[in-house]
Amino acid sequence: MIKKFAAILLSALTVVFALNPFAFSIKSKAQKATLNISVVTKNEKNDLLLTLTSNYKGVKHYTSLDDALNNAATNQTKGIMVLADNYPDSDTAVTESQATKINSLGVKLYIEYPSNNTSLGITGYTDTRVMDFDRAVVTDADKMGMAKNSILYVHGAKYKAKLKNSKTWLANATVAGYDTADFGLTDCTAYSMIETNASGNVLIASTKLSQFISARYAPYERWQKLWIGVISWLSGTRVANISWTPSVKAKYNKGQALSANAYKDAVNLNSQWYINNMLPADGKGVYQCYQSGSNFDPFGNQTLNQGVRADCTAETVGAMAMAGAVTGNQKYKDNAYKIMKWMINESDMANGDRANPNSSQYGLFSWYNGINSYYGDDNAKAIIGLILATEALGTDEFDKRILEAITANFRTAGQNGFRGSVLNADDLDKNGWENYFNGNVKNYASHFESLIWACYLWAYEKTDYEPFLIRTKTALTMMMASYVKTMQDPDILDLNYYEKWNWTNSLQADRAKLILPLAWLVRIEPTEEHIKWLDLIVTDMMATQDSSTGAIRDTVGEEWQGYGSCGPFTKNSEYGTHESPVIQNNGDPCTDALYTSNFAAMSLNEAYSAVKAAKNSKLASKYQKYVKSTSDYLVRIQQASADSKYNGVWFRGFDYKKWETYGSDGDAGWGIWVTESGWTQSFISYSLSLQSMGTNMWDYTSKSSIGKHFDSVKKTMLNYQFAIPDYQPDLSKELAIINDALGIKGDSSNSTTNTDVYDNGFNKADEESEEYTDDGYITIDDDDSADKKNYLWLWITAAAVSVVAIAGAVFACIKISQKSTANGETQENDDSDKADKSSETEKSE
């Protein structure tokens, strides 16, 4: 009887533990494998040595190969690893006597960055070369434990060159692809990176692989498999796992709850990175970035690009000023003001011809200090940074210069509102700004046009200067018609090349930028058309958002979806030769914080605020969730490291499935690991700062008095008054295309209509369900939060019931046991009766 109740109790406990989330978990600690291998290195902190000793038993460390060999028989050594202590200055040599002993002992040898040694079959290695854009490619799937053509990064490695042979496990070559070399090892030169000698007892690595942690080789899981393959071969013991902590990694794990002040902490950490790495001591500008691609040294350090750009400088000014406002750190504000004053009052980027009222370059910001090219998108990013800085610092000292910059870009754009991708000083001087102002250029490239349109709309709200609005509406109407036609009509034969949407690095990047001017157009004219335009782009961009992480997956256009000027590589020999996306094929799980998610975070916050102001509760609720999920993702993937060069940064690319920095690193200059001080860091920091304060840029800067300077600016820069109808083209065709696609009925005049046209019932109840916490985080009292509360009570109830059930079962067992002892002779019959009654009771229950 006791055995039966014990079995019932055990079954009950099993069910309770399986179903109850508060139950105890029983973990068995795996035993460490014993390898019986020796590691030869004079560096006690070598990554591989530390990893091996922390993961396995039986790992001996020697500082000389002779000592390892002399103790091999005593230790029953199966294999010896000779690491490249003198890398990259000199290769790793083995003497003839050592080679003889290795062969006689019958031990296996792993050696890296070697000298040729005929006795050990290490032959054919010639000169030393640099990886440049090369990546490692798996050639032996069985030995490596990975699919053939899988890609690994060996940043900046110097290697002993030997053309690939038949015993190669891993090769290095310049190949295109994301996770795999999509075109194999064709159209490239492949060298051996890991191979065995002819006898099969020596494994040769052409470079130093043992610095895989400090040199940040990637991706983590594939380096795990690489070392499992090497160690299993060397020791004769098949090991199952190996682990370590990366030297640079995401601050939060996937799905990990954010701290209460996560947004503010991210801004603060990023600002510290600026101060530690990106600000020259003299305050003259901001360094651009740590570069990626071919810009790693042999130890995995990235090259610091010390070029000073107007956009990066002004964007950093904005980010640091906003950080000072959010954190209360006056040092951030002081640095922001110092740099802004230098840029506007002293730098060549804002002075010289750019400060000469008689020059057509007047008011513009040059691309670099000393390079007089004028990209509208870069000027716009500089302007946005300066606008935010002036508000955060509480100064109007530079307002007139900012307004001149907006007007300078406007007067070098055409009647349709398009400015073109870039203008240069010689052409401006030769043609005069009026030539551009009266031109009819079309440029359906959101990457280059959208942000400056946002600046015009912001300026219109401050100045009431109608042309800012009218030309921008014209451009946005034409752009939206092009987008609709290009995206929704696979039959591209009837759409001229110059009328097609022209994405740059990705479709997502161009959508992310277009959201900002569309949002601010809704602020000015919250019509049905404008709100639906905005929602179309937001919806299309968010269609690829990963539901579990909030990551906005990057995508490129399909064959009919416009033209990508910087699309994926079509063959191996292209890799590293031009700008490119972070992905190779749609579906690659990567986000882009240089071109997409950085702008998306801020743009979505402006879109949410715009539809909220337009009293559209349905879209406001949807967009609010988009803002939070996107921003939470960015906070989680901010990098943490003991190395200040990478602590607090956002790299360009991040693989949300691997949960590490990873992607196609072939972009010439701005690859996966780039840390752009402007575009990436600044826009993410803006967004998090604004959200921490419970606001958005439009409202945050609403009290700007910049408009008071416009009469003076207009007189200097727009020296004749043009008639608005003269440059307002007939847009009926474009509007018909858009309205037909979006199901908009009625008048398509694109004029301001009553704000109630697209009202979906925003009311007081909706308004009260949404609030900002003290830290500025958006909270939504919706069904999800109610469900979470209900689930919590269910789990608590389940836990209580489980405890009562266990206690009752234990009590019953004790009582039965006592009764059994007292009635020993009749125990068997009583047990039978009770069992029958118990069975009847169970059936009844």
Side-chain angles (χ1 to χ4, degrees):
M1 180 66 187
I2 293 176
K3 290 182 179 180
K4 290 183 178 180
F5 266 89
I8 292 171
L9 178 59
L10 180 60
S11 299
L13 288 171
T14 301
V15 172
V16 168
F17 288 160
L19 297 179
N20 190 347
F22 299 98
F24 296 105
S25 60
I26 301 173
K27 295 182 180 179
S28 60
K29 188 175 182 179
Q31 295 294 318
K32 290 184 178 180
T34 301
L35 299 183
N36 290 340
I37 63 173
S38 297
V39 180
V40 179
T41 178
K42 294 178 181 178
N43 181 8
E44 295 181 350
K45 296 183 179 181
N46 177 276
D47 295 345
L48 182 58
L49 173 65
L50 294 177
T51 302
L52 291 174
T53 54
S54 66
N55 280 269
Y56 310 112
K57 296 188 296 183
V59 178
K60 305 292 184 182
H61 173 216
Y62 295 97
T63 57
S64 74
L65 178 55
D66 286 331
D67 287 346
L69 291 171
N70 291 337
N71 289 282
T74 303
N75 295 333
Q76 298 183 330
T77 301
K78 299 291 184 65
I80 298 174
M81 308 187 90
V82 181
L83 308 185
D85 284 347
N86 299 317
Y87 171 86
D89 298 329
S90 58
D91 46 25
T92 309
V94 176
T95 66
E96 281 302 311
S97 61
Q98 290 170 336
T100 300
K101 195 161 188 177
I102 290 169
N103 289 329
S104 64
L105 285 170
V107 297
K108 289 183 177 179
L109 174 70
Y110 165 85
I111 186 170
E112 54 187 24
Y113 202 58
S115 300
N116 286 320
N117 187 301
T118 305
S119 299
L120 292 175
I122 305 174
T123 59
Y125 292 90
T126 57
D127 56 315
T128 300
R129 302 188 183 186
V130 179
M131 288 279 285
D132 196 45
F133 278 101
D134 273 15
R135 294 183 287 178
V137 181
V138 172
T139 53
D140 192 321
D142 292 335
K143 295 292 194 303
M144 289 281 88
M146 293 173 267
K148 187 176 180 180
N149 289 332
S150 294
I151 289 173
L152 299 87
Y153 283 93
V154 192
H155 298 309
K158 286 190 175 181
Y159 63 95
K160 310 296 289 187
K162 179 182 180 180
L163 295 177
K164 184 177 76 71
N165 66 26
S166 60
K167 294 184 177 294
T168 299
W169 294 11
L170 192 71
N172 64 278
T174 299
V175 295
Y178 183 82
D179 261 334
T180 60
D182 286 2
F183 307 103
L185 292 177
T186 61
D187 189 36
C188 63
T189 302
Y191 297 91
S192 175
M193 181 161 279
I194 299 179
E195 68 174 15
T196 58
N197 65 355
S199 301
N201 69 321
V202 179
L203 188 61
I204 310 148
S206 66
T207 188
K208 185 176 183 177
L209 301 181
S210 61
Q211 61 175 13
F212 60 100
I213 301 176
S214 55
R216 300 150 57 208
Y217 297 162
Y220 179 87
E221 185 176 303
R222 288 185 176 176
W223 278 91
Q224 282 183 308
K225 292 178 179 179
L226 182 150
W227 288 121
I228 286 172
V230 170
I231 295 162
S232 298
W233 173 87
L234 185 72
S235 65
T237 300
R238 181 64 189 176
V239 296
N241 54 64
I242 186 172
S243 63
W244 60 88
T245 300
S247 59
V248 183
K249 64 187 184 72
K251 188 177 179 181
Y252 288 85
N253 294 327
K254 186 187 296 187
Q256 181 181 352
L258 298 181
S259 65
N261 294 314
Y263 285 25
K264 193 180 298 182
D265 291 344
V267 169
N268 187 56
L269 186 62
N270 187 242
S271 297
Q272 287 296 323
W273 173 79
Y274 274 123
I275 288 176
N276 291 334
N277 301 279
M278 308 309 287
L279 308 185
D282 59 9
K284 294 183 177 181
V286 176
Y287 297 143
Q288 183 180 344
C289 63
Y290 285 104
Q291 294 179 281
S292 190
S294 62
N295 294 286
F296 287 85
D297 72 11
F299 302 102
N301 299 301
Q302 294 170 237
T303 302
L304 175 61
N305 183 333
Q306 295 185 341
V308 176
R309 291 173 51 154
D311 53 353
C312 293
T313 297
E315 287 170 291
T316 299
V317 164
M320 295 200 68
M322 292 291 291
V326 170
T327 66
N329 190 325
Q330 187 61 38
K331 184 178 181 180
Y332 299 158
K333 290 187 175 182
D334 291 344
N335 276 285
Y337 177 78
K338 179 181 179 182
I339 297 167
M340 180 160 59
K341 187 173 182 179
W342 169 82
M343 176 183 165
I344 291 180
N345 293 346
E346 301 178 38
S347 78
D348 181 65
M349 298 179 295
N351 292 281
D353 286 330
R354 288 148 294 286
N356 178 3
N358 296 319
S359 171
S360 289
Q361 301 174 55
Y362 182 65
L364 295 169
F365 294 131
S366 64
W367 186 29
Y368 274 86
N369 207 27
I371 302 178
N372 298 333
S373 296
Y374 304 104
Y375 289 90
D377 65 309
D378 289 349
N379 265 247
K381 288 190 285 289
I383 290 165
I384 289 170
L386 294 174
I387 289 171
L388 286 168
T390 57
E391 184 63 36
L393 297 177
T395 179
D396 60 3
E397 182 179 349
F398 309 107
D399 279 1
K400 184 179 180 183
R401 184 61 180 88
I402 295 170
L403 189 55
E404 287 172 343
I406 297 172
T407 308
N409 281 273
F410 181 72
R411 74 175 188 172
T412 52
Q415 297 184 44
N416 299 317
F418 293 94
R419 190 171 181 276
S421 299
V422 62
L423 302 175
N424 64 67
D426 291 340
D427 288 340
L428 281 168
D429 289 342
K430 176 182 177 181
N431 300 322
W433 67 266
E434 296 88 349
N435 178 69
Y436 299 92
F437 189 70
N438 293 315
N440 290 296
V441 65
K442 296 178 183 178
N443 183 36
Y444 296 103
S446 174
H447 173 90
F448 293 103
E449 302 285 355
S450 288
L451 295 185
I452 198 63
W453 291 337
C455 293
Y456 302 156
L457 293 173
W458 184 88
Y460 167 74
E461 199 270 340
K462 302 295 180 288
T463 64
D464 291 324
Y465 183 57
E466 287 289 325
F468 279 144
L469 173 62
I470 295 175
R471 287 197 172 191
T472 302
K473 283 173 59 179
T474 297
L476 284 170
T477 304
M478 296 172 72
M479 178 69 90
M480 289 302 298
S482 174
Y483 178 83
V484 168
K485 186 70 172 174
T486 305
M487 294 298 115
Q488 299 186 7
D489 186 0
D491 183 9
I492 62 174
L493 296 178
D494 63 342
L495 195 60
N496 183 279
Y497 170 85
Y498 296 103
E499 300 295 321
K500 290 177 187 174
W501 177 270
N502 185 355
W503 53 271
T504 305
N505 294 80
S506 74
L507 274 177
Q508 293 290 61
D510 286 49
R511 288 168 177 148
K513 285 186 175 181
L514 185 57
I515 289 169
L516 186 60
L518 290 175
W520 286 356
L521 181 61
V522 169
R523 282 286 196 163
I524 296 168
E525 294 184 355
T527 64
E528 178 186 17
E529 291 123 320
H530 296 159
I531 292 175
K532 283 195 172 183
W533 294 2
L534 172 63
D535 190 49
L536 173 64
I537 304 301
V538 170
T539 300
D540 283 359
M541 183 179 75
M542 300 307 291
T544 67
Q545 186 180 39
D546 179 64
S547 60
S548 64
T549 63
I552 301 175
R553 176 170 55 81
D554 224 40
T555 62
V556 295
E558 299 294 348
E559 183 180 355
W560 69 88
Q561 292 177 321
Y563 288 87
S565 56
C566 301
F569 303 108
T570 60
K571 55 185 178 181
N572 287 333
S573 58
E574 284 185 359
Y575 189 82
T577 62
H578 60 73
E579 292 189 46
S580 66
V582 294
I583 63 173
Q584 178 66 25
N585 300 294
N586 285 333
D588 292 336
C590 195
T591 57
D592 188 335
L594 178 65
Y595 290 112
T596 305
S597 53
N598 51 326
F599 297 119
M602 183 172 175
S603 295
L604 287 170
N605 191 38
E606 299 303 315
Y608 155 66
S609 304
V611 295
K612 178 184 174 184
K615 301 187 183 301
N616 189 304
S617 59
K618 182 178 180 180
L619 289 185
S621 177
K622 181 171 74 168
Y623 291 2
Q624 187 180 32
K625 292 175 183 178
Y626 286 159
V627 174
K628 190 173 190 307
S629 59
T630 301
S631 301
D632 284 358
Y633 170 75
L634 289 170
V635 170
R636 287 191 174 94
I637 70 170
Q638 186 180 29
Q639 299 296 294
S641 175
D643 189 338
S644 70
K645 296 192 299 295
Y646 315 113
N647 189 41
V649 304
W650 286 276
F651 291 119
R652 176 183 175 184
F654 193 85
D655 186 310
Y656 56 84
K657 288 189 176 178
K658 294 181 178 66
W659 204 250
E660 64 179 300
T661 303
Y662 182 86
S664 174
D665 196 37
D667 189 300
W670 290 271
I672 289 297
W673 283 268
V674 74
T675 63
E676 195 77 8
S677 60
W679 308 27
T680 300
Q681 319 304 321
S682 61
F683 268 79
I684 296 174
S685 187
Y686 297 160
S687 179
L688 298 179
S689 291
L690 288 165
Q691 289 181 68
S692 293
M693 292 188 287
T695 189
N696 55 84
M697 183 174 172
W698 187 268
D699 291 332
Y700 185 66
T701 61
S702 62
K703 295 181 180 180
S704 171
S705 59
I706 197 171
K708 68 184 180 182
H709 298 287
F710 191 63
D711 284 343
S712 173
V713 170
K714 183 170 63 173
K715 183 177 180 180
T716 302
M717 302 186 69
L718 298 168
N719 52 23
Y720 66 93
Q721 188 69 40
F722 51 86
I724 292 174
D726 290 344
Y727 66 89
Q728 189 173 11
D730 178 7
L731 300 174
S732 57
K733 180 180 178 182
E734 285 81 2
L735 287 167
I737 292 172
I738 303 169
N739 292 348
D740 182 62
L742 298 182
I744 301 172
K745 298 179 181 179
D747 180 30
S748 298
S749 63
N750 197 28
S751 60
T752 306
T753 60
N754 190 291
T755 57
D756 293 333
V757 167
Y758 202 44
D759 182 5
N760 280 328
F762 186 91
N763 54 43
K764 186 68 174 175
D766 294 324
E767 200 167 32
E768 290 177 348
S769 71
E770 171 191 300
E771 61 182 19
Y772 288 93
T773 66
D774 291 339
D775 293 314
Y777 296 102
I778 301 170
T779 59
I780 308 171
D781 187 14
D782 57 10
D783 293 340
D784 290 341
S785 59
D787 288 344
K788 290 177 181 177
K789 292 176 183 177
N790 291 335
Y791 283 132
L792 179 59
W793 282 110
L794 285 173
W795 287 121
I796 293 172
T797 303
V801 171
S802 299
V803 171
V804 172
I806 293 169
V810 171
F811 179 75
C813 285
I814 293 172
K815 296 294 291 182
I816 292 169
S817 177
Q818 290 174 343
K819 191 168 184 178
S820 173
T821 302
N823 303 309
E825 292 182 1
T826 60
Q827 179 72 53
E828 189 171 331
N829 292 333
D830 287 346
D831 285 347
S832 177
D833 292 341
K834 290 175 182 177
D836 292 340
K837 291 178 180 179
S838 175
S839 177
E840 292 172 3
T841 300
E842 288 174 359
K843 289 177 182 177
S844 174
E845 292 176 347

